[in-house]
Amino acid sequence: MNTIGKIFASALAVIISAYLIPGVEVADFLTAIIVAVVLALVNFFVKPILVIITIPVTILTLGFFLLAINAFMILMVDSFVDGFTVNGFWWALLYSLVLSIVSSIFGIEDKKEN
């Protein structure tokens, strides 16, 4: 049940963040749920590979390249999910920052439960 709650909270964060950023559109709540699930899967499987591959660039930029990786993850989800539209890299970068802030307000994080 805890996983379903996190998915719905993530979907709500996706919708709120899209509402705040004019370059991002989410069609409906079902699309937001799909975006939340696909984003979680992409962050789980693809992001670690990209982080490892780009370690030299990340070190050279003092970690700021991780923001670009997050934007690429958003653009990747945009290409997978119909009804979720991001109007370019800069909107994806801003959306990833706002989504992170909104998610932290809702308490959606990867804490290990005791």
Side-chain angles (χ1 to χ4, degrees):
M1 189 66 177
N2 191 17
T3 304
I4 294 172
K6 284 185 179 183
I7 290 172
F8 280 116
S10 296
L12 189 60
V14 165
I15 285 184
I16 291 171
S17 300
Y19 177 75
L20 295 172
I21 306 298
V24 178
E25 297 176 12
V26 178
D28 54 11
F29 192 70
L30 179 62
T31 303
I33 291 172
I34 295 169
V35 168
V37 170
V38 172
L39 187 60
L41 291 173
V42 166
N43 280 334
F44 185 76
F45 290 110
V46 178
K47 187 175 180 178
I49 296 168
L50 287 178
V51 169
I52 290 171
I53 291 172
T54 61
I55 284 176
V57 176
T58 304
I59 291 171
L60 190 64
T61 61
L62 302 175
F64 284 111
F65 192 71
L66 293 174
L67 296 172
I69 291 175
N70 288 337
F72 286 125
M73 298 295 103
I74 297 294
L75 291 172
M76 188 180 300
V77 172
D78 173 33
S79 67
F80 291 151
V81 178
D82 291 332
F84 178 63
T85 307
V86 181
N87 294 332
F89 175 80
W90 295 109
W91 288 117
L93 181 67
L94 184 60
Y95 181 76
S96 69
L97 291 171
V98 171
L99 183 62
S100 176
I101 292 168
V102 171
S103 294
S104 68
I105 290 171
F106 284 144
I108 306 165
E109 51 207 31
D110 294 330
K111 290 192 288 189
K112 297 199 178 200
E113 298 179 24
N114 296 330

